[in-house]
């Protein structure tokens, strides 16, 4: 069994000891390092690939939130805190879960099982192109066929992609960059970092705002506006 590599970041030795003992009880987890100082953890993360970080939020000099915000490609983050009110702030940084101190083993196990499932899904291909005119995406536990000309737009939402088609939408794991290889000109155009749209779905233009046929309004990046107008035949 391939183990998930973990580190712990907490300025309290007793809290680190508890999480270390919990990790030792879970066969698919492997503790690689444990830190009392977030700055040292940050240096380690820049030099090593880790699957899960268990981090306290409130620490002197450098908080767990600041630690995560310093990472360009963070692993799964499970925050550990004595304060429930920090949870919302933690989720806003992209944390997958949070554990309240004193941490119970059953709650810890639930969090790491969820992380394991997420990481397993992330490693699998979520979008398959079998024919030039259609794709299959993994969503809601099944493979769903989507004809390319049905797609109005695709929106990046963190680690997920939202495909909006005539009459509905589907969400799957993936990046917009990977979809640029599938959804490309002359039918599709990436108008900004979070959206690829079907040019046939454009209803109206107003400056740097686009209205689509479903009523959705999307802004166009300034460096994309001129190219978009040319693609739509507007001089």
């Amino acid at each position: 069994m391939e183990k998930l590599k973990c580190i712990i970041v907490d300025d309290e030795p007793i809290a680190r000891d508890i999480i270390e003992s919990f990790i030792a009880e879970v066969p698919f987890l492997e503790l690689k390092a444990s830190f009392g100082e977030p700055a040292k953890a940050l240096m380690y993360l820049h030099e090593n690939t880790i699957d899960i970080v268990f981090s306290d939020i409130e620490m002197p000099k450098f908080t767990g939130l600041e630690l995560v915000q310093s990472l360009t490609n963070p692993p799964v983050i499970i925050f550990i805190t004595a304060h429930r009110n920090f949870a919302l702030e933690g989720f806003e940084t992209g944390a997958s879960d949070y554990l309240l101190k004193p941490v119970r083993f059953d709650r810890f196990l639930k969090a790491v099982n969820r992380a394991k499932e997420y990481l397993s899904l992330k490693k699998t291909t979520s979008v398959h192109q079998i024919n030039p005119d259609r794709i299959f995406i993994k969503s809601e536990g099944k493979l769903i066929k989507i004809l390319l000309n049905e797609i109005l737009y695709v929106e990046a939402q963190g680690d997920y992609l939202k495909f909006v088609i005539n009459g509905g939408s589907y969400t799957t794991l993936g990046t917009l960059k990977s979809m640029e290889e599938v959804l490309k000109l002359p039918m599709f155009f990436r108008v900004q970092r979070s959206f690829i749209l079907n040019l046939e779905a454009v209803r109206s233009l107003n400056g740097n705002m686009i209205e689509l046929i479903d009523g959705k309004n999307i802004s166009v990046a300034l460096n994309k506006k001129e190219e978009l107008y040319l693609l739509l035949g507007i001089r």
Side-chain angles (χ1 to χ4, degrees):
M1 177 191 299
E2 185 179 353
K3 294 191 175 186
L4 301 179
K5 299 173 184 177
C6 312
I7 68 167
I8 301 168
V9 190
D10 198 314
D11 61 315
E12 298 177 5
I14 294 176
R16 293 199 305 273
D17 289 345
I18 290 171
I19 300 302
E20 286 177 18
S21 68
F22 286 176
I23 290 173
E25 293 292 320
V26 181
F28 61 81
L29 297 181
E30 179 183 4
L31 180 64
K32 302 300 290 185
S34 185
F35 300 94
E37 298 177 33
K40 291 183 178 179
L42 182 60
M43 291 177 60
Y44 182 88
L45 288 167
H46 282 315
E47 297 173 356
N48 298 273
T49 301
I50 293 297
D51 298 303
I52 304 174
V53 174
F54 299 96
S55 177
D56 189 14
I57 292 182
E58 193 174 23
M59 293 180 283
K61 298 182 181 178
F62 198 6
T63 70
L65 299 173
E66 291 169 333
L67 170 66
V68 176
Q69 290 163 353
S70 301
L71 299 172
T72 54
N73 187 25
V76 170
I77 306 296
I78 298 177
F79 279 127
I80 301 169
T81 177
H83 306 283
R84 188 182 295 273
N85 59 314
F86 282 143
L88 179 59
E89 230 181 321
F91 281 127
E92 287 176 350
T93 67
S96 70
D97 209 338
Y98 77 98
L99 302 172
L100 282 175
K101 295 180 179 179
V103 181
R104 303 192 323 268
F105 181 72
D106 62 326
R107 184 65 183 83
F108 173 87
L109 193 58
K110 182 178 180 180
V112 297
N113 277 323
R114 184 181 296 157
K116 179 186 178 187
E117 182 179 358
Y118 167 78
L119 289 167
S120 177
L121 280 171
K122 195 172 182 180
K123 289 177 182 177
T124 64
T125 303
S126 297
V127 180
H128 304 267
Q129 185 169 23
I130 310 300
N131 297 302
D133 66 339
R134 71 197 64 188
I135 56 175
F136 283 84
I137 67 169
K138 291 181 179 179
S139 182
E140 301 169 3
K142 55 190 175 184
L143 284 170
I144 298 170
K145 181 180 75 174
I146 298 178
L147 299 177
L148 296 191
N149 61 13
E150 291 180 330
I151 298 172
L152 301 182
Y153 63 89
V154 180
E155 179 182 2
Q157 298 181 335
D159 290 322
Y160 292 85
L161 294 173
K162 180 181 180 181
F163 288 78
V164 176
I165 64 172
N166 288 310
S169 65
Y170 300 98
T171 302
T172 190
L173 280 166
T175 64
L176 215 56
K177 184 173 178 62
S178 68
M179 289 312 303
E180 283 187 288
E181 300 172 10
V182 178
L183 306 179
K184 51 193 176 183
L185 292 171
M187 185 183 296
F188 295 93
F189 182 63
R190 184 169 182 173
V191 294
Q192 46 131 301
R193 62 178 300 181
S194 298
F195 287 92
I196 294 176
L197 60 82
N198 185 337
L199 295 174
E200 292 295 323
V202 175
R203 170 177 284 160
S204 66
L205 299 157
N206 183 10
N208 70 327
M209 293 300 297
I210 305 169
E211 182 189 6
L212 302 184
I213 57 176
D214 67 343
K216 175 76 171 180
N217 288 290
I218 299 172
S219 63
V220 184
L222 291 177
N223 63 341
K224 297 279 190 176
K225 181 180 174 181
E226 184 178 352
E227 185 178 359
L228 173 65
Y229 272 56
L230 288 172
L231 289 170
L232 293 171
I234 303 169
R235 297 295 189 271

